Amino acid sequence: MGRVVSIGAQDFGSIIRRNCFLVDKTYFIKEWWETEDAVTLITPPRRFGKTLNMSMLECFFSNKYAGRGELFEGLRVWQEEKYRKLQGTYPVIFLSFAGIKYVDFENTRSTMNGLITRLYSQYRWMMKESVFDEEDREDFSEVRKDMSDATASMSLNRLCEWLSRYYGKKCIVLLDEYDTPMQEAYVHGFWDELTAYIRALFNNTFKTNPYLERAVM
């Protein structure tokens, strides 16, 4: 029996584990890594496989997948020893704005803050380690759904810093569907409010972030 084509599947690891049909795009990992670009913006058309590729990058680089080389065995990127050694070696932040489709700024901001807060909750255990002090823990606790815009603007920057201090390596940031809330803001008339919020967040995350190794948007 031939492999099943799993329509709409966006989780790379799940596709590999279930042995579904997959077009091998892992050479993109090598091409992207060797550009040495700090931030890469990908803008192909819809249904082009962007989210699946972002999931692939997370599975390849994130230390959450350390020792999971079997996900890439038989695929093109696995042919080179250099890249086999890279698999699972970086702290990776993966965030998606795909579901942020609101007609007003307050709900949009609240949901974005909520996504960042849930991301933080995954690392609450880390703040118990001795490498962090009480000031770090206080700053960490300020990230919540009703946080100020100033706190939100620095939230991903600070998380990169803490992960880098804990793991001893700079972070890779993957932001999927970065433009979805911006499209809604343009259509529904709150463009100026959202761009003020998102400009500060993006600037601190992708431009003035000494703890950033690479990023893809």
Side-chain angles (χ1 to χ4, degrees):
M1 181 177 176
R3 292 185 178 183
V4 172
V5 178
S6 183
I7 303 298
Q10 298 179 322
D11 185 290
F12 179 84
S14 176
I15 289 175
I16 295 297
R17 288 191 297 271
R18 289 155 44 204
N19 199 32
C20 296
F21 181 81
L22 175 74
V23 175
D24 185 353
K25 297 182 180 179
T26 60
Y27 195 69
F28 167 70
I29 296 169
K30 171 180 164 61
E31 290 183 318
W32 172 61
W33 197 252
E34 293 185 357
T35 65
E36 296 290 345
D37 292 337
V39 181
T40 301
L41 176 64
I42 302 176
T43 59
R46 290 180 58 80
R47 315 314 305 167
F48 195 76
K50 298 186 297 296
T51 297
L52 179 57
N53 282 344
M54 297 285 260
S55 176
M56 175 184 73
L57 289 174
E58 182 186 28
C59 288
F60 188 82
F61 286 103
S62 176
N63 52 23
K64 294 178 182 178
Y65 291 88
R68 296 297 308 280
E70 79 277 1
L71 294 174
F72 295 90
E73 287 179 1
L75 299 177
R76 188 170 180 184
V77 72
W78 211 244
Q79 295 174 5
E80 298 191 36
E81 183 179 359
K82 171 184 175 180
Y83 288 93
R84 293 197 296 271
K85 290 180 178 179
L86 272 180
Q87 195 276 323
T89 59
Y90 280 89
V92 173
I93 295 172
F94 189 7
L95 197 62
S96 173
F97 289 165
I100 305 179
K101 299 181 179 181
Y102 297 98
V103 299
D104 62 276
F105 175 60
E106 288 306 319
N107 279 314
T108 298
R109 176 174 59 184
S110 177
T111 305
M112 292 176 73
N113 286 351
L115 285 173
I116 295 171
T117 301
R118 285 194 291 276
L119 175 67
Y120 262 60
S121 69
Q122 299 174 25
Y123 298 102
R124 191 171 288 117
W125 60 269
M126 184 176 65
M127 300 309 294
K128 298 176 182 179
E129 300 297 323
S130 60
V131 68
F132 305 110
D133 57 26
E134 285 306 311
E135 184 176 349
D136 292 319
R137 297 182 183 99
E138 288 176 9
D139 289 346
F140 188 96
S141 68
E142 288 182 2
V143 174
R144 52 186 183 268
K145 197 171 183 178
D146 62 348
M147 62 183 153
S148 69
D149 287 357
T151 298
S153 72
M154 286 297 297
S155 57
L156 298 182
N157 182 297
R158 292 305 309 276
L159 186 56
C160 283
E161 177 189 351
W162 291 323
L163 287 169
S164 296
R165 283 164 57 186
Y166 183 77
Y167 289 109
K169 298 188 77 168
K170 293 183 178 182
C171 283
I172 294 173
V173 177
L174 307 174
L175 177 57
D176 194 25
E177 299 276 359
Y178 78 94
D179 58 335
T180 295
M182 299 173 72
Q183 292 176 32
E184 298 301 319
Y186 181 78
V187 171
H188 297 290
F190 57 97
W191 175 261
D192 290 343
E193 292 173 291
L194 182 63
T195 53
Y197 170 99
I198 218 164
R199 183 184 297 114
L201 176 65
F202 284 6
N203 184 74
N204 289 320
T205 303
F206 300 114
K207 188 175 181 180
T208 57
N209 185 353
Y211 308 100
L212 180 69
E213 178 67 38
R214 305 279 181 92
V216 178
M217 301 171 65

